[in-house]
Amino acid sequence: MSDKSVLTGTWFMNGDHACCEGALAAGCRFFAGYPITPATEVAERMSRRLPELGGIYIQMEDELASMAAILGASWGGVKAMTSTSGPGFSLMMENIGLGICTETPCVVCNVQRAGPSTGLPTLVAQGDMMQARWGSHGHYEIIALSPSSPQEMFDFTIRAFNLSEQYRLPVIILADEVVGHMNERVVIPPAGEIEVVKRRKPTAPPGEYRPYQPDADGVAPMAGCGEGYRIHVTGLTHDERGYPGMNAATQEQMMERLIRKIRANRDSIIRTENVFLDDAEVVVVAYGISARSARHAVQEARAKGIRAGLIKLETVWPFPEELIRSVASRVRALVMPEINAGQMVLEMERCAGGACPVRMVAHHGGALIPPAKVLDAVRKALKGRP
Amino acid sequence: MKIRKPSKEPPVHPKDSLLRVERIPHIWCPGCGIGTVFGAVMGAIQKSGCDLDRLAMVSGIGCTGRMAGYIRLDSFHTTHGRAIPFATGLKLARPETKVLVVSGDGDLLAIGGNHFIHAARRNIDLTVICVNNLNYGMTGGQQAPSTPFGARTPTSVAGSPEEPFNFCHLAAACGAVYVARWTALHIRLLTNAITEAMQKRGFSFLEVLTPCPSSFGRRNKMGSALDTLKFYHDRSVIRNGIDPRDALLDYDNQIVVGRFVDIERPTFTDNYEAVNLRHAMPSPEPERPQGRRKP
Ligand code: SF4
């Protein structure tokens, strides 16, 4: 890897730029995108950085094309990504589905802003959480990570590439305007210390290779274009050869594989940071920028003698069901702050299953949730007050 | 005269090596022109002698889109309208691979119209073959951007109220380096044209008029597929080199076919490399790490 691809050192950098550097450090050499606030800085930096690394930056005509182009590049054997925000993310849904169905590794960074529609282009929200989960038609599993700082933008982008290569699917980074635009310290380690997952290639010769026959971990090795395998790749329901099969049996086989490869590997995909859980009476569960408000509130609560804990979701999809279920069974309440009118909190309620109350701290977007509001919710939860 | 003993092996068709024979029979209707175009594409590939591992086919959705499923090449059947941007990513990531895009008129020029325009403008090195059957065949023959004014379809029962596109004029105006139009009747000329287009560097475009007896022909009193071919035969006039804006599809009088554009222009990749070399990229902001370097 060229020296310039990993900018080892300690930097003062915004989240969008850190995302770009994370991608390059992970080996990304293709970016197709379309300018959109507040994700434009990812594209701008990519446009300057990729040519010097022998990579391609192409500004497409829209986000439909951007998403299609990164899938094409990925089949061409190059690690590829795009970045966007709400309106562009909506357009990408079509080909995110193609990426899921054809099991194409790539990364999509959504720097969220407030919606619906054009909404507040320059201001923060976390309103696309469910869109990331269910936005493309049909049923599928997805992986999404939620960074809460420029450092995590760097780290999680690398992890997003690794997960996408390992499990063969588009991995989504659910950042937000504040994380994207804030400048903070970002430590970039030496290249040798960065774990980079390489695409698993087939060992079977052409003729015997079945492009969608999974290995033991549920994931099939991936032959790319021009490698002599004469692969066929389609968004139609397909069998292990990649050939369309227009019947319920093929659909079932394909769906089982697409779902299983994620569900069966949940333990290695899901990461959370758990703080003060051992003796916590109330646990705040948060992700992205709101996890910072949550951490502050939990620290203040502890200083006041309140036994509060924190679960910071690094992986938001798949949702850490088992963890939430077990925590719900031993605490007095769960609290979730999020900058939407209640999305991930639905998952929390589902997992808590009535074992304890789940309190939401909602915000419609345009500003952060003040820690005091989270602390207030923690207090009320302890007193059992609405 | 010696009578040859019948072979125990099933006969091998000269194009079998390019076919995913295990996927035959195909889905196309009897009399459909797509098979003819497919045959011409395979003929052109064989004629060009290019390395089959350095050749890929990308299609969108629709009857023509299924070609990608039958050809024994690296082949990608993508989403409706997005064959060109997918192919753009593939080509730029794998420049040594020749990329053919095959799709229908609705796919490439209605839902995919914006991508078509910009790929031609950028001069992405793709050969795009548009099978124009004047309607949305797969969904049952609805009106498309190619449907002739007044033609009857299930979504224009009284006759289409819209003027159709002249795809060749559009392609040329957007910067395509090779533009030609033939019909499914002109097999030899079409095969030659595909070979020519594949040899071009840059965005080459071929429109092929094909009969769609099931969905379009039957509603517009065009008779059988053979009658449509006869119609093409009687009305086609070859006008090589004319200004594509004059290459009209006037179904009542004449259908202008031929090679209209054959020029040279730097491709996206040529320009990308030239520009970036010239610019000698400066390091992005910030210039230097802040504070201490990590050991
Ligand atoms: S509907 Fe028309 S275009 Fe489609 S396969 Fe049948 S004849 Fe061909």
Side-chain angles (χ1 to χ4, degrees), chain A residues 10 45 94-95 226 234 243, chain B residues 22 74 77 79 82 285 290:
Chain A
T10 303
R45 192 172 175 109
E94 175 192 58
N95 287 304
T234 177
Y243 290 175
Chain B
E22 65 276 26
D74 288 321
H77 178 226
T79 39
R82 319 297 168 219
E285 303 285 317
Q290 230 224 3

Side-chain angles (χ1 to χ4, degrees), chain A residues 6-11 151 186-190, chain B residues 289-290 292-294:
Chain A
V6 181
L7 296 184
T8 304
T10 303
W11 304 83
Q151 180 68 55
V186 174
V187 179
I188 300 182
Chain B
Q290 230 224 3
R292 284 166 293 121
R293 258 180 190 273
K294 266 197 78 169

Side-chain angles (χ1 to χ4, degrees), chain A residues 11-242:
Chain A
W11 304 83
F12 191 56
M13 185 182 276
N14 77 27
D16 283 353
H17 286 180
C19 171
C20 167
E21 291 306 329
L24 298 177
C28 173
R29 291 295 177 273
F30 185 94
F31 183 98
Y34 188 85
I36 187 166
T37 307
T40 306
E41 291 86 343
V42 184
E44 284 179 349
R45 192 172 175 109
M46 280 290 189
S47 76
R48 283 182 286 163
R49 288 280 280 140
L50 276 168
E52 67 183 8
L53 299 174
I56 299 281
Y57 168 86
I58 182 165
Q59 194 159 304
M60 299 302 286
E61 50 277 12
D62 55 33
E63 290 90 346
L64 300 160
S66 306
M67 191 63 216
I70 69 168
L71 296 181
S74 183
W75 281 101
V78 175
K79 289 187 181 178
M81 83 170 288
T82 185
S83 64
T84 189
S85 190
F89 198 47
S90 293
L91 293 187
M92 286 177 185
M93 286 301 145
E94 175 192 58
N95 287 304
I96 286 176
L98 181 65
I100 296 284
C101 187
T102 56
E103 303 186 51
T104 310
C106 60
V107 172
V108 178
C109 178
N110 175 4
V111 187
Q112 296 173 90
R113 63 194 225 187
S117 191
T118 312
L120 298 172
T122 60
L123 295 174
V124 64
Q126 295 179 308
D128 308 344
M129 307 307 292
M130 285 293 171
Q131 187 186 21
R133 177 65 189 88
W134 301 110
S136 196
H137 54 277
H139 199 111
Y140 55 90
E141 292 289 321
I142 193 89
I143 299 178
L145 313 176
S146 187
S148 50
S149 64
Q151 180 68 55
E152 286 187 348
M153 279 290 248
F154 177 83
D155 297 338
F156 288 15
T157 303
I158 295 174
R159 179 145 199 263
F161 271 97
N162 287 346
L163 289 166
S164 80
E165 293 293 337
Q166 192 166 350
Y167 298 107
R168 284 190 61 180
L169 81 171
V171 172
I172 294 164
I173 300 167
L174 285 166
D176 61 74
E177 184 275 328
V178 173
V179 168
H181 282 163
M182 73 160 68
N183 280 273
E184 270 187 344
R185 196 168 82 129
V186 174
V187 179
I188 300 182
E193 290 171 22
I194 296 173
E195 190 208 342
V196 174
V197 172
K198 276 212 184 109
R199 192 167 295 185
R200 202 189 316 158
K201 289 288 171 189
T203 46
E208 282 170 35
Y209 168 60
R210 305 216 141 200
Y212 293 100
Q213 177 152 17
D215 285 349
D217 64 350
V219 188
M222 180 175 172
C225 180
E227 294 171 12
Y229 285 92
R230 312 272 174 90
I231 46 173
H232 181 56
V233 176
T234 177
L236 285 169
T237 294
H238 47 267
D239 60 21
E240 287 175 344
R241 297 169 300 172

Side-chain angles (χ1 to χ4, degrees), chain B residues 30-260:
Chain B
C32 176
I34 296 173
T36 313
V37 182
F38 191 43
V41 170
M42 289 190 288
I45 291 171
Q46 287 177 327
K47 222 169 118 181
S48 74
C50 67
D51 177 357
L52 299 183
D53 287 330
R54 293 282 174 277
L55 189 60
M57 183 182 277
V58 181
S59 74
I61 298 297
C63 296
T64 306
R66 294 301 185 97
M67 264 192 213
Y70 299 125
I71 196 139
R72 191 173 293 287
L73 294 175
D74 288 321
S75 52
F76 303 89
H77 178 226
T78 66
T79 39
H80 197 25
R82 319 297 168 219
I84 286 179
F86 185 101
T88 299
L90 183 67
K91 175 69 192 177
L92 297 180
R94 212 165 180 91
E96 67 276 24
T97 294
K98 184 94 219 159
V99 181
L100 300 174
V101 175
V102 287
S103 241
D105 45 291
D107 187 77
L108 284 169
L109 286 134
I111 190 166
N114 198 28
H115 311 310
F116 181 91
I117 289 170
H118 290 281
R121 171 181 67 80
R122 295 183 186 111
N123 203 20
I124 305 285
D125 191 5
L126 303 172
T127 295
V128 178
I129 301 168
C130 172
V131 175
N132 183 358
N133 57 13
L134 312 182
N135 74 126
Y136 287 97
M138 184 161 276
T139 46
Q142 297 75 16
Q143 178 197 322
S146 53
T147 303
F149 179 81
R152 281 221 273 270
T153 75
T155 49
S156 62
V157 283
S160 169
E162 298 181 17
E163 291 287 347
F165 252 139
N166 176 346
F167 297 152
C168 288
H169 179 29
L170 178 73
C174 296
V177 293
Y178 182 96
V179 179
R181 177 193 292 141
W182 298 102
T183 79
L185 185 73
H186 300 91
I187 298 176
R188 195 173 49 80
L189 291 162
L190 172 63
T191 309
N192 288 343
I194 299 170
T195 317
E196 273 177 12
M198 283 173 64
Q199 272 153 10
K200 293 295 289 186
R201 288 185 75 254
F203 190 90
S204 50
F205 176 68
L206 269 151
E207 176 183 8
V208 193
L209 293 165
T210 59
C212 168
S214 305
S215 292
F216 188 81
R218 127 182 109 81
R219 288 195 183 83
N220 289 285
K221 302 201 168 57
M222 296 185 73
S224 68
L226 208 59
D227 294 326
T228 307
L229 289 177
K230 173 126 187 7
F231 177 86
Y232 290 153
H233 175 265
D234 296 345
R235 288 195 174 49
S236 297
V237 276
I238 300 178
R239 306 271 305 276
N240 285 322
I242 68 159
D243 187 331
R245 89 183 65 198
D246 300 323
L248 298 180
L249 285 174
D250 178 356
Y251 296 96
D252 293 329
N253 297 297
Q254 62 175 28
I255 298 170
V256 177
V257 296
R259 182 182 61 203
F260 310 130

